[in-house]
Amino acid sequence: MTARKRAAGRSAATAKKAASRKKPAKKKAVKKKPAKKKAVKKKPAKKKAVKKKPAKTKPAVRAEAAGSKPSSKNSSRRVFFFGGGAADGSAEMRDLLGGKGANLAEMTLLGVPVPPGFTLSTEVCSDFKKRRGKLSAGVKADVLTALARVEQLMGLRFGDPERPLLVSVRSGARVSMPGMMDTVLNLGLSDVTVNGLAKRADERFAYDSYRRFVQMYGDVVLRVPLDRFEFLLERAKARAGVLLDTELSGADWRNLVAEYLDLVEEYTGHPFPQDPKEQLWGAISAVFESWGNERAGAYRRLHDIDDSWGTAVNVQSMVYGNMGEDCATGVAFTRNPSTGEAKFYGEYLKNAQGEDVVAGIRTPQPINRASQTGETLALPTLEAEMPEPYGELTKIYKALEKHYRDMQDMEFTIQAGKLWILQTRNGKRTSLAAVQIAVDMVKERLISRDEAILRIDPGSIDQLLHPAIDRSADLEVVARGLPASPGAAVGRVVFSAGEAESRAKAGEKVILVRVETSPEDILGMHAAQGVLTAKGGMTSHAAVVARGMGKSCVAGCGSLAIDYQAGQMRVAERVVRLGDWISIDGSSGDVMLGEAPTVTPELSLAFKELMGWTERMSRMKVRTNADTPQDAELARGFGARGIGLCRTEHMFFEPERILSVRRMILASDGAARESALADLLPFQRKDFEGIFRAMDGLPVTVRLLDPPLHEFLPQSEEALEGVAAALEMPQQELRARLESLREFNPMLGHRGCRLGVSFPEIYRMQTRAIVEAACGVAAEGVKVEPEIMIPLVAHPGELSLLRAEVEDVIDEVREENPGVRVRPSIGTMIEVPRAALTADVIAEYADFFSFGTNDLTQMGYAMSRDDANSFLPDYVEKGILRDDPFASIDEEGVGQLVRMGAELGRKTRPGLKLGVCGEHGGDPKSVRFFAGLGLDYVSCSPYRVPVARLAAAQAQVAARRKP
């Protein structure tokens, strides 16, 4: 039968079909009699709801009266009701109800107009997994009991042909995961109930709602590919000769529903379920299952969310923003999520459902003038079009922000002029906004400085420090969209998430260009430098996720014509193809052709104020890893309290000195080696002078030569010929010398202090350069605190021998510079497991320890940092390791070596200075661990200094708060 014939015959057969389909449901209802008895027992709860009526007269004012909090019986409760001023849950029950469910309950208690519903807890999710994807009979009974309370409040009945109650089924984890799990709207519609809905509104609205439901349920629950539905929708619009969904008639929608139902039956082999209860069990199960889908798993890995938490499921009465011109739906933020500016901000669409706003299907309108920007300046606002609901929304947002003491992200619907709040949560924001909001809320006395420090994600801070578009350059701006997430992004154009991932893994910088993004694009967005979309607004999926990731994003750039199949886009009569370079500015919305130059951004006053608080709060200091005066000055500007690692070998690669280094390495005797080192001495001394001046008054730890000597020698045939000619050495002799230096495992070979033992003249030259430089700048009035660090010590005898050598040189130079008071301290890197195990003996010869966690991890795990990328991702993906141990310290293993080394060292020398100079010094999680061990400082790259400072302050605040 064709879809049109089926549609024509449907109404005639409706009663007969309804009767046959209803019979099984009636039998089920009889079997559920015990559940009805439970509903009777719940009457006292209804009395509580009556007592809460006064709260409705004071919207957004917290009900503090006795009995407004959930009862202590919730420990055994599985389904939590909210509605009519009463709720079984509260905001404190986030772990059990998820963020959405906890906030729905809390808003209900506050008197905010929330559509009634109920939440299936995260414990039900755990039980669901244990039962291999089955809901227990007890849970189903509790759901039906809660559903009856919703029916009573709404004056509607689930599955009723005349006045059907329709519900939404949504996920809700304890932390926000926007768009990562599944949602089903308009559940309860069927061939029967759609007629009842049409009587309450009109045929067009009813069948539009039905087709949305069939499409969502078909996609989420029945796994019918979404593009199959989209194809039928586009064909229907072409058939009707219209461009927009809103232009289709009721008859068009009715015919499309028939086609959708045929598609489901064709694809699944079964008719679309017409029993609303069957629909409900299917949707609840699918949402629980969506916790384990690929995109949700990827999001959890990116944001370090525990897989074991599970999600809650929220079932809530539907309210409609698409019933006519007095209806609307929107998303609002109590402050600007991009800049942090304290202005109410948001977007809405008239006569639309919620997913239309976030999916970017239509470009939304600003809710007020403060939200107008770029292409939306000419659009009418909610404030102008619906002043009464907007006024109520304003009162509610102020009350919610004051109550939660954080910026809120609210979803709302206006149905027939009445405002409903569908959810509130702490809003995703850029790092710029996070800092501004935290500092402002301290000034507004909403939160303390401690709370402000704890609210900022340290890992996001470095987004504020990286370059922005240089506006003084000659830029070819070809389009402008909405500035959805600030910052500059420069890269090659890609049109798919998969392409973004593969190119990024190969080392390319890419910009992901999409008509609109969806949750399936999450990994591509993470891999890209930035995101550009043709559709969508400031609250679209692309904007929200990009802000959460700290990625630059330009959304809703309507002038882009993207052709995925051709691998190109047209903009301003220009064709941009896959792989072409473009630049985007998420702060202005500009799209530019080519690679735009960038500049270091100016840090905000709020950022400087926040960093000032961290300095006063943290005991553990943050130094930097720097080998040049420029890096040292940059890091000092970011608040570094010294240099924790100055790698001398980096200085050897400069063109004017590399030949002398190679002469030194290839020398056939000590005299020739001393001659080459004498040539290097002035260069090294000058290097250290610049660094000491940049770090005036702060400590500078200089590591003596560490890498194996072969790294400085020519690697290619062409380079070898050049070196042989420059050194006037026969190529055959040079090759023989290179072969003699070759090692099977150079990272465990002749390197570090072993070079100093074999060739003491190398460390003597470096020590002389350090001390002469210190004496020279000290004579100028610069306060110097040099620290000489001997690397790769495994045995106390190595340090004892080399310390004596270094002290002899220090004494010589001091005698040559009478009247200059410079006394460098001498210490070592603890980077070999044996050194950590014997740290008490090694400490007898050390003024300080610096833990080299890069090598400590390599040796502790017996894996090469340079080769581990070929298999470490498998270890993380399969749950063997939670984190890459080279990125975040392995607390249970390598971390215990650090703990042991610190405790043994201070057992011998109670005042021993302890620090970390590996890459872990800039990782927030690792910094908190090191603070807990009582280390004096961590050291990291210049751009990670603010990250580490914030993490160190957070560790101190957390330690103070421990009972």
Side-chain angles (χ1 to χ4, degrees):
M1 182 184 293
T2 66
R4 285 192 178 275
K5 288 180 180 178
R6 178 175 176 171
R10 190 173 301 280
S11 58
T14 291
K16 186 176 179 181
K17 285 183 180 179
S20 63
R21 287 168 182 155
K22 287 287 183 180
K23 284 178 183 177
K26 286 181 180 179
K27 288 179 182 177
K28 286 182 183 177
V30 172
K31 291 179 182 177
K32 294 292 183 182
K33 279 183 179 178
K36 291 182 179 179
K37 289 180 181 178
K38 285 188 180 180
V40 173
K41 290 177 183 178
K42 289 287 183 181
K43 281 183 179 177
K46 293 179 183 176
K47 290 180 181 177
K48 284 187 181 181
V50 173
K51 289 178 183 178
K52 296 300 262 182
K53 280 184 179 177
K56 292 183 180 179
T57 63
K58 297 179 180 179
V61 177
R62 182 169 179 79
E64 297 290 357
S68 65
K69 288 286 186 181
S71 75
S72 60
K73 295 179 181 178
N74 287 336
S75 59
S76 60
R77 191 186 296 273
R78 295 166 295 198
V79 177
F80 294 74
F81 175 80
F82 56 86
D88 297 328
S90 70
E92 289 76 24
M93 300 169 68
R94 174 178 293 269
D95 289 0
L96 188 63
L97 303 183
K100 187 176 294 181
N103 286 334
L104 287 169
E106 187 77 1
M107 286 194 293
T108 301
L109 294 173
L110 290 170
V112 173
V114 173
F118 50 89
T119 302
L120 287 79
S121 74
T122 55
E123 290 181 353
V124 178
C125 183
S126 299
D127 182 67
F128 178 81
K129 286 189 283 187
K130 288 176 185 175
R131 293 173 177 273
R132 299 184 179 181
K134 301 291 183 183
L135 294 169
S136 71
V139 166
K140 288 185 176 182
D142 290 348
V143 164
L144 295 178
T145 298
L147 188 62
R149 295 179 69 182
V150 175
E151 289 176 331
Q152 186 175 20
L153 282 172
M154 296 299 291
L156 304 168
R157 289 185 62 78
F158 194 56
D160 187 88
E162 299 298 322
R163 293 181 57 78
L165 171 70
L166 306 181
V167 297
S168 63
V169 181
R170 302 172 186 260
S171 62
R174 68 173 74 173
V175 294
S176 177
M177 295 172 56
M180 295 303 111
M181 290 178 285
D182 290 328
T183 293
V184 177
L185 304 180
N186 305 327
L187 189 141
L189 279 172
S190 66
D191 293 347
V192 175
T193 57
V194 69
N195 297 314
L197 185 61
K199 290 176 183 176
R200 289 176 55 205
D202 59 58
E203 182 186 46
R204 187 193 176 284
F205 162 74
Y207 278 95
D208 180 18
S209 300
Y210 195 10
R211 69 93 187 176
R212 290 173 186 262
F213 169 56
V214 174
Q215 178 171 321
M216 273 191 164
Y217 195 93
D219 171 38
V220 169
V221 182
L222 305 177
R223 303 288 185 253
V224 180
L226 195 58
D227 59 0
R228 300 283 293 272
F229 292 108
E230 294 292 344
F231 170 78
L232 294 177
L233 174 58
E234 292 303 316
R235 191 174 70 179
K237 289 193 289 186
R239 193 164 53 214
V242 300
L243 293 175
L244 301 176
D245 299 1
T246 52
E247 297 176 284
L248 290 173
S249 68
D252 292 328
W253 286 129
R254 187 173 63 249
N255 290 331
L256 185 61
V257 165
E259 292 179 359
Y260 276 11
L261 294 171
D262 284 343
L263 169 63
V264 169
E265 187 165 355
E266 175 191 335
Y267 190 85
T268 66
H270 302 284
F272 186 86
Q274 295 290 318
D275 179 3
K277 289 178 184 174
E278 181 186 345
Q279 296 171 0
L280 183 61
W281 307 138
I284 291 172
S285 298
V287 174
F288 276 138
E289 287 169 353
S290 71
W291 174 259
N293 69 35
E294 185 177 343
R295 64 178 184 267
Y299 188 91
R300 290 197 295 275
R301 289 192 295 275
L302 294 176
H303 295 272
D304 197 25
I305 297 171
D306 196 320
D307 282 334
S308 68
W309 287 354
T311 183
V313 171
N314 300 285
V315 179
Q316 195 173 10
S317 175
M318 286 293 300
V319 289
Y320 290 96
N322 61 333
M323 290 182 72
E325 291 303 305
D326 59 351
C327 301
T329 187
V331 177
F333 295 85
T334 58
R335 302 187 187 218
N336 189 308
S338 290
T339 66
E341 189 178 11
K343 290 184 178 179
F344 190 37
Y345 178 92
E347 297 174 325
Y348 79 105
L349 283 170
K350 286 182 71 175
N351 200 15
Q353 278 201 324
E355 73 268 21
D356 297 339
V357 178
V358 297
I361 295 168
R362 291 159 55 188
T363 298
Q365 300 167 220
I367 61 169
N368 53 22
R369 292 185 65 184
S371 304
Q372 289 179 318
T373 179
E375 294 183 355
T376 67
L377 285 172
L379 298 176
T381 65
L382 181 69
E383 184 178 15
E385 289 196 308
M386 298 183 178
E388 287 187 19
Y390 177 80
E392 188 179 0
L393 183 62
T394 300
K395 291 177 184 176
I396 289 172
Y397 98 73
K398 290 178 179 177
L400 287 177
E401 182 175 272
K402 185 175 181 181
H403 176 73
Y404 285 103
R405 301 184 308 121
D406 201 352
M407 185 264 278
Q408 295 298 292
D409 169 2
M410 305 157 54
E411 293 181 16
F412 65 90
T413 287
I414 299 169
Q415 178 178 307
K418 177 174 174 54
L419 175 69
W420 296 93
I421 305 298
L422 305 184
Q423 88 162 344
T424 191
R425 59 189 173 192
N426 293 340
K428 298 286 184 184
R429 64 206 76 179
T430 64
S431 51
L432 174 69
V435 171
Q436 188 67 55
I437 290 168
V439 171
D440 284 348
M441 285 190 167
V442 170
K443 293 177 179 177
E444 294 163 19
R445 301 191 175 183
L446 282 173
I447 61 175
S448 67
R449 286 184 178 180
D450 281 4
E451 288 174 296
I453 290 291
L454 292 173
R455 281 190 181 180
I456 309 299
D457 174 16
S460 70
I461 284 294
D462 66 345
Q463 299 163 16
L464 301 177
L465 314 175
H466 289 291
I469 297 292
D470 182 0
R471 288 288 161 181
S472 66
D474 184 17
L475 304 173
E476 189 176 359
V477 178
V478 292
R480 176 168 292 170
L482 300 173
S485 186
V490 180
R492 295 183 182 276
V493 168
V494 295
F495 295 105
S496 72
E499 182 92 8
E501 282 187 83
S502 60
R503 288 195 178 223
K505 284 178 181 175
E508 286 190 56
K509 293 182 177 181
V510 299
I511 304 291
L512 179 61
V513 180
R514 302 286 289 165
V515 174
E516 61 202 29
T517 63
S518 71
E520 281 72 23
D521 294 322
I522 182 75
L523 292 176
M525 294 177 71
H526 183 257
Q529 301 295 306
V531 180
L532 171 64
T533 69
K535 294 183 179 180
M538 300 288 283
T539 57
S540 65
H541 175 270
V544 171
V545 173
R547 282 196 292 268
M549 288 182 174
K551 301 283 184 182
S552 175
C553 177
V554 174
C557 190
S559 59
L560 302 182
I562 299 171
D563 185 339
Y564 292 143
Q565 191 168 1
Q568 65 182 37
M569 66 177 177
R570 290 186 175 275
V571 53
E573 299 181 355
R574 301 287 293 272
V575 176
V576 179
R577 293 181 173 83
L578 176 70
D580 288 350
W581 285 92
I582 64 167
S583 306
I584 62 173
D585 187 344
S587 302
S588 66
D590 286 345
V591 179
M592 293 147 277
L593 297 182
E595 299 175 73
T598 58
V599 294
T600 301
E602 186 175 337
L603 299 176
S604 69
L605 293 176
F607 177 83
K608 293 175 182 176
E609 189 166 0
L610 182 82
M611 287 294 106
W613 297 344
T614 68
E615 191 65 29
R616 293 189 288 273
M617 286 181 183
S618 57
R619 184 200 62 79
M620 187 170 71
K621 302 303 179 185
V622 177
R623 299 190 190 182
T624 190
N625 302 337
D627 314 322
T628 67
Q630 294 76 19
D631 281 351
E633 288 169 3
L634 177 66
R636 187 162 191 169
F638 289 148
R641 304 301 298 163
I643 291 179
L645 177 62
C646 176
R647 302 176 178 92
T648 54
E649 61 269 12
H650 286 185
M651 304 167 181
F652 285 175
F653 284 100
E654 294 294 326
E656 69 271 19
R657 59 190 82 173
I658 186 63
L659 191 61
S660 295
V661 174
R662 288 167 172 169
R663 277 183 52 225
M664 179 267 293
I665 295 169
L666 297 169
S668 57
D669 54 46
R673 192 173 299 109
E674 292 273 11
S675 174
L677 288 169
D679 292 340
L680 286 171
L681 176 61
F683 291 117
Q684 287 262 276
R685 182 171 56 234
K686 185 178 179 181
D687 290 331
F688 297 134
E689 285 172 351
I691 290 170
F692 288 144
R693 289 191 187 101
M695 283 290 161
D696 185 3
L698 296 174
V700 175
T701 304
V702 181
R703 183 180 72 183
L704 301 182
L705 191 64
D706 180 41
L709 296 179
H710 80 275
E711 288 193 6
F712 300 99
L713 297 175
Q715 305 299 315
S716 68
E717 186 66 24
E718 182 181 356
L720 185 144
E721 292 172 0
V723 171
L727 296 178
E728 298 179 346
M729 177 183 289
Q731 290 186 28
Q732 188 174 355
E733 183 181 340
L734 177 57
R735 286 193 179 91
R737 186 74 179 109
L738 290 176
E739 187 61 33
S740 71
L741 291 171
R742 193 180 306 279
E743 296 178 292
F744 287 109
N745 194 343
M747 296 314 292
L748 296 179
H750 201 183
R751 57 168 285 216
C753 68
R754 298 158 195 170
L755 291 174
V757 171
S758 299
F759 309 114
E761 55 271 23
I762 296 177
Y763 279 10
R764 282 202 298 266
M765 180 278 288
Q766 290 194 298
T767 301
R768 174 168 283 276
I770 293 166
V771 184
E772 284 183 354
C775 290
V777 298
E780 301 170 5
V782 175
K783 186 178 178 182
V784 289
E785 296 182 36
E787 299 175 345
I788 298 174
M789 184 160 67
I790 298 170
L792 210 73
V793 165
H795 192 283
E798 295 169 320
L799 186 57
S800 172
L801 174 69
L802 293 173
R803 182 181 179 110
E805 294 270 3
V806 169
E807 284 179 329
D808 286 345
V809 177
I810 292 173
D811 291 341
E812 287 174 13
V813 177
R814 292 184 70 196
E815 287 177 10
E816 295 165 7
N817 293 271
V820 179
R821 302 182 63 181
V822 171
R823 186 73 200 181
S825 57
I826 303 170
T828 185
M829 289 185 80
I830 303 295
E831 51 190 329
V832 177
R834 189 182 192 281
L837 296 170
T838 60
D840 51 341
V841 185
I842 290 175
E844 294 176 13
Y845 308 101
D847 302 323
F848 65 88
F849 282 172
S850 181
F851 290 92
T853 53
N854 296 343
D855 271 337
L856 202 57
T857 299
Q858 285 197 109
M859 298 184 200
Y861 266 99
M863 65 172 68
S864 164
R865 179 175 51 163
D866 299 321
D867 300 319
N869 277 342
S870 64
F871 58 85
L872 264 183
D874 297 331
Y875 274 59
V876 175
E877 185 178 336
K878 295 178 180 179
I880 298 171
L881 295 175
R882 180 165 178 78
D883 301 296
D884 178 344
F886 292 106
S888 191
I889 192 74
D890 164 31
E891 296 181 14
E892 293 79 19
V894 178
Q896 295 313 305
L897 290 173
V898 177
R899 182 190 299 276
M900 181 182 295
E903 291 174 352
L904 289 174
R906 281 186 172 162
K907 183 178 179 181
T908 299
R909 286 199 177 194
L912 185 69
K913 187 187 294 184
L914 301 174
V916 167
C917 63
E919 289 301 312
H920 299 100
D923 170 60
K925 184 178 176 183
S926 303
V927 169
R928 288 190 286 270
F929 176 74
F930 298 139
L933 297 184
L935 304 193
D936 297 298
Y937 69 88
V938 293
S939 189
C940 56
S941 63
Y943 281 107
R944 299 294 286 176
V945 167
V947 176
R949 289 176 64 193
L950 180 56
Q954 290 179 339
Q956 192 71 20
V957 170
R960 275 203 314 268
R961 290 186 164 202
K962 280 185 178 178

